[in-house]
Amino acid sequence: LVPVLLLLGVTSVGFGQRSFFSADEPAGGPAGSGKLMLLRCNDVGEELRLSDEQREKFARMYQQNRVKRRKFFENVFDGRVFSEPIETVNVRGLLDQWNQDFEKQVFEELLTTSQRLRLEQIELQARGASALALSSIAETLELEPDQAAQIRQRIQSQTNYGPPDNTRIPSSVLRELTPWQQRQLEQLRGELYV
């Protein structure tokens, strides 16, 4: 549920928040990644202490990326990029790579080191327990394969109707972590963003 909400731009930290984009800018849509969707929220921008110049630059970068991406994928679907039929093209892989490249560009050209770190912490909080399913987090926490499987099972068994409460990770999931892993996770998530 959370990855879908992040893809759509709906997170517990982003509910009802207005983007600093213009009113005619469509809400949601593929903005790149969870981090970039969060970066579009005014409250997250305030938490990161984005300057007006950074906000304006990000809005320009986002709009330029959106236009380029639309044109590229129109050409892909019109058969002007690859010689093979569109059915054989890994469009999702292309989109993922495009989004990763754009995120990297934003991180390098726009955000300071401390802003990048805080944005990553906020994204982990927004992902809630599902953050433990990320390979980078599992690696950092040194999760054993059976431990990771048990955590995935616990995450999948969580039934949540309505907006997710991602400010905490359920105790049933935390019990699967060692005290050291719990401390590491707490450090990765940083100060609680509400």
Side-chain angles (χ1 to χ4, degrees):
L1 178 62
V2 173
V4 171
L5 293 173
L6 283 172
L7 189 63
L8 295 174
V10 179
T11 66
S12 61
V13 293
F15 263 164
Q17 295 179 356
R18 299 290 302 158
S19 164
F20 55 78
F21 286 76
S22 65
D24 62 343
E25 178 73 27
S33 71
K35 291 179 195 81
L36 296 179
M37 295 295 277
L38 289 168
L39 193 56
R40 292 182 61 194
C41 297
N42 275 328
D43 290 353
V44 173
E46 289 172 17
E47 174 75 13
L48 298 176
R49 294 181 179 90
L50 292 179
S51 67
D52 290 342
E53 184 180 317
Q54 284 177 304
R55 291 172 190 257
E56 290 167 12
K57 183 174 181 177
F58 179 63
R60 280 193 310 274
M61 290 172 76
Y62 176 82
Q63 189 58 34
Q64 289 167 354
N65 179 63
R66 195 169 152 207
V67 169
K68 287 179 190 175
R69 183 180 55 226
R70 183 181 308 126
K71 186 161 198 67
F72 175 75
F73 282 99
E74 283 174 1
N75 288 333
V76 167
F77 287 109
D78 288 345
R80 293 180 282 201
V81 176
F82 301 103
S83 57
E84 63 265 13
I86 186 65
E87 294 81 25
T88 63
V89 175
N90 181 358
V91 175
R92 182 64 201 185
L94 289 172
L95 182 59
D96 288 345
Q97 186 60 53
W98 188 284
N99 291 339
Q100 288 172 11
D101 292 347
F102 181 55
E103 181 180 294
K104 182 178 178 186
Q105 178 189 6
V106 168
F107 273 37
E108 290 175 356
E109 295 180 21
L110 185 74
L111 301 177
T112 66
T113 302
S114 62
Q115 288 171 329
R116 285 192 297 265
L117 174 63
R118 184 64 181 140
L119 183 58
E120 288 171 359
Q121 291 172 338
I122 293 169
E123 184 200 23
L124 282 179
Q125 291 176 30
R127 286 181 177 269
S130 69
L132 294 168
L134 297 172
S135 58
S136 60
I137 300 300
E139 205 173 285
T140 301
L141 297 179
E142 300 175 9
L143 295 179
E144 296 295 328
D146 60 325
Q147 202 181 11
Q150 191 67 20
I151 288 170
R152 276 192 302 279
Q153 183 181 16
R154 296 227 188 260
I155 291 169
Q156 291 170 352
S157 70
Q158 298 291 317
T159 328
N160 186 0
Y161 301 100
D165 175 14
N166 293 331
T167 58
R168 62 175 193 78
I169 295 178
S171 59
S172 63
V173 173
L174 287 175
R175 279 194 300 269
E176 298 299 326
L177 300 175
T178 66
W180 178 84
Q181 290 169 328
Q182 289 180 24
R183 286 190 302 275
Q184 290 296 111
L185 180 60
E186 190 175 318
Q187 190 174 17
L188 289 171
R189 288 170 45 99
E191 182 182 329
L192 188 61
Y193 172 76
V194 183

